[in-house]
Amino acid sequence: MKKTVLMLSTALIAAALSSAHAVKVTLACGAVGQELEMCKAGADRWAKKTGNTVAIFESPNLTNDRLGLYQQQLAAKSSDIDVYQLDVVWPGLLDQHFVDLKGKVPQSAIDQHFKGIIAANTVGSKLVALPWFTDAGLLYYRTDLLAKYGYKSAPKTWAEMASMAKKIQVGERRTNTDFNGFVFQGKDYEGLTCDALEWLTSYRAGSIVDDSGKITVNNPNTIKALSAAASWVKTISPSGVTTHAEEEARGLFQSGNAAFMRNWPYAWSLGQGADSKVKGKIGVAPLPKGGTTGQNAATLGGWQLGVSNYSTNQKEAIDLVLYLTGPEEQKIRAIEGSYNPTIPTLYKDKDILKANPFFGSLYDVFTSAVARPSGPTKEKYNQVSQAFSGAVHSVLTGKKTATVAVKELEADLIKIKGRGW
Ligand code: GLC
């Protein structure tokens, strides 16, 4: 009897102690596709393991809107959010608001990730965040329709893509007036910067600003690349494409209304879902080259987790970041949501490759993706990106010719640069 009482009270004391130490950590994560749902699930697994709780801060879909909101929170030194999900182009903009994870997490937890992604998260000597998943632009296509119209493989150049898209669109429109040849991210936002950087790089036009900080965008290949993209609008792409972000493009493709789509890897898992009209009919290929002398190019995207300087629960917040960015969680997210791991060894994992065969076949696309010029343009990257996407948008909507838009963009970038980035 005495023993039972003693055991009971020990258990009560332990429970009381652990709940006294349990804290609530607030995590701001994305909401594109399955992001929110999967973020919650991962956070719940950590909460269960540690006895702490996690509140999810729901963020807007567009990366630009998220940045604006986070900048407000951080400028106010708000302790409301402990852990932020950061876009790969943000560390140089937001570094001063984040805890340096170097020395605070085991070195092995840093070394397990791709070196390049760790470098993108390092500003000076500060490790601003740990990588959670990486992204690269891909060409999705309908395997059934390519076969139906006599094509044996995915297009190798943009011109080939456009002619295939046209033929398929003409054929499919006989029975489906909503059908489109090609959908992509043509809205004026960060996503268009990503798509258009792919067009430029595929035509060997450079990446807006080079690594030394030189403005390189005004060159004949940029004009070729943007003119080609403008020719797609209202021919193989709907006029509404200039208002489409990732989810609008996915909606059209997944409902069976597009032959080709440019999107990130997350669209794969949803396209294979039970409610997808194109389940089992999707192929994935590298984005086409800009002509036969061009190259395949994918923009590097991806998201990281960082701990706010203003968090009052930094110890637990760091533990949550370590857990979510670790191999176990990255494996679950790769299988359930086709989020690309940032840990090279996971690309050899059989379960991951079974769920996402293109993680193996397109491995080089993921490891050689092109960075946006956030490194050289530092705190001014957002202004550079907005000027670029605005200029590209004016070409897509037919307001300006590529030649005029690119010349004006160069002048704007010179102004933004001022005496230096
Ligand atoms: C994806 C990428 C991110 C990019 C965004 C643009 O989320 O991972 O890096 O900025 O798309 O819409």
Side-chain angles (χ1 to χ4, degrees):
M1 171 73 182
K2 251 193 191 157
K3 206 173 160 195
T4 325
V5 171
L6 188 69
M7 269 166 63
L8 252 177
S9 52
T10 318
L12 283 175
I13 292 166
L17 273 178
S18 83
S19 73
H21 287 110
V23 299
K24 186 182 90 182
V25 176
T26 301
L27 164 64
C29 52
V32 177
Q34 309 182 79
E35 258 189 309
L36 188 61
E37 200 184 300
M38 294 207 46
C39 177
K40 271 187 189 150
D44 285 349
R45 286 187 282 271
W46 176 79
K48 214 166 157 201
K49 205 176 129 226
T50 59
N52 296 311
T53 52
V54 182
I56 303 289
F57 180 92
E58 287 187 30
S59 308
N61 263 0
L62 296 185
T63 189
N64 303 58
D65 297 344
R66 277 198 226 177
L67 178 60
L69 187 67
Y70 295 172
Q71 277 174 323
Q72 276 173 21
Q73 291 281 329
L74 294 166
K77 300 191 180 350
S78 161
S79 62
D80 289 356
I81 300 172
D82 301 287
V83 176
Y84 285 83
Q85 179 180 330
L86 304 180
D87 196 337
V88 67
V89 285
W90 294 350
L93 295 171
L94 303 178
D95 58 299
Q96 73 273 25
H97 300 294
F98 284 84
V99 170
D100 184 359
L101 294 174
K102 222 171 260 167
K104 296 234 166 60
V105 300
Q107 189 60 34
S108 58
I110 301 172
D111 293 342
Q112 67 185 337
H113 299 279
F114 283 114
K115 281 198 175 59
I117 307 181
I118 290 294
N121 280 291
T122 307
V123 179
S125 65
K126 182 173 183 177
L127 180 61
V128 179
L130 277 174
W132 199 18
F133 64 97
T134 186
D135 257 344
L138 302 169
L139 182 73
Y140 287 83
Y141 61 94
R142 289 278 301 277
T143 50
D144 57 328
L145 294 181
L146 259 61
K148 179 173 167 188
Y149 290 87
Y151 297 113
K152 294 211 167 55
S153 56
K156 301 278 181 290
T157 63
W158 287 112
E160 210 186 310
M161 186 284 292
S163 95
M164 288 164 78
K166 180 84 198 163
K167 185 167 161 190
I168 300 173
Q169 182 177 285
V170 169
E172 291 303 295
R173 280 208 180 158
R174 287 193 197 114
T175 50
N176 176 6
T177 49
D178 293 332
F179 194 86
N180 305 286
F182 179 45
V183 291
F184 60 95
Q185 292 73 49
K187 184 186 172 86
D188 183 3
Y189 79 121
E190 185 63 27
L192 178 56
T193 293
C194 297
D195 286 38
L197 177 63
E198 285 158 355
W199 308 333
L200 262 61
T201 312
S202 77
Y203 277 87
R204 301 189 190 273
S207 44
I208 313 162
V209 173
D210 74 10
D211 284 348
S212 74
K214 192 172 156 217
I215 299 162
T216 58
V217 77
N218 189 3
N219 68 68
N221 287 344
T222 298
I223 292 161
K224 263 193 218 162
L226 297 187
S227 307
S231 76
W232 304 331
V233 181
K234 297 192 206 155
T235 56
I236 55 168
S237 305
S239 59
V241 78
T242 55
T243 63
H244 290 173
E246 285 83 1
E247 285 292 83
E248 287 81 9
R250 183 175 70 82
L252 285 170
F253 188 78
Q254 209 173 295
S255 57
N257 288 329
F260 295 102
M261 168 176 73
R262 184 275 178 207
N263 218 325
W264 306 103
Y266 84 96
W268 169 260
S269 154
L270 291 159
Q272 300 299 346
D275 60 348
S276 165
K277 290 228 171 79
V278 293
K279 182 175 182 201
K281 300 175 183 167
I282 310 176
V284 185
L287 288 162
K289 295 180 182 180
T292 44
T293 54
Q295 59 187 349
N296 299 109
T299 294
L300 175 72
W303 294 84
Q304 354 292 317
L305 296 173
V307 174
S308 162
N309 267 340
Y310 320 114
S311 159
T312 48
N313 300 310
Q314 290 187 3
K315 194 168 142 275
E316 291 77 10
I318 292 173
D319 192 58
L320 173 61
V321 167
L322 266 178
Y323 175 79
L324 289 176
T325 57
E328 232 176 273
E329 273 298 315
Q330 289 210 7
K331 178 167 175 171
I332 298 175
R333 292 171 55 83
I335 293 172
E336 292 179 5
S338 55
Y339 291 106
N340 278 65
T342 59
I343 300 173
T345 50
L346 290 179
Y347 287 81
K348 298 209 172 77
D349 184 287
K350 282 201 187 71
D351 305 326
I352 293 181
L353 290 174
K354 193 170 163 233
N356 311 281
F358 65 96
F359 279 16
S361 57
L362 301 187
Y363 183 71
D364 291 348
V365 171
F366 300 115
T367 51
S368 62
V370 180
R372 284 161 273 174
S374 55
T377 60
K378 299 177 203 146
E379 279 102 32
K380 294 183 180 170
Y381 170 71
N382 205 33
Q383 278 170 277
V384 170
S385 178
Q386 279 178 8
F388 178 62
S389 70
V392 174
H393 196 255
S394 73
V395 179
L396 294 183
T397 51
K399 285 203 189 93
K400 287 178 192 162
T401 63
T403 311
V404 169
V406 168
K407 197 161 172 252
E408 289 177 7
L409 170 65
E410 183 184 40
D412 285 348
L413 293 180
I414 290 171
K415 260 192 228 133
I416 296 170
K417 182 175 180 183
R419 282 207 219 119
W421 297 114

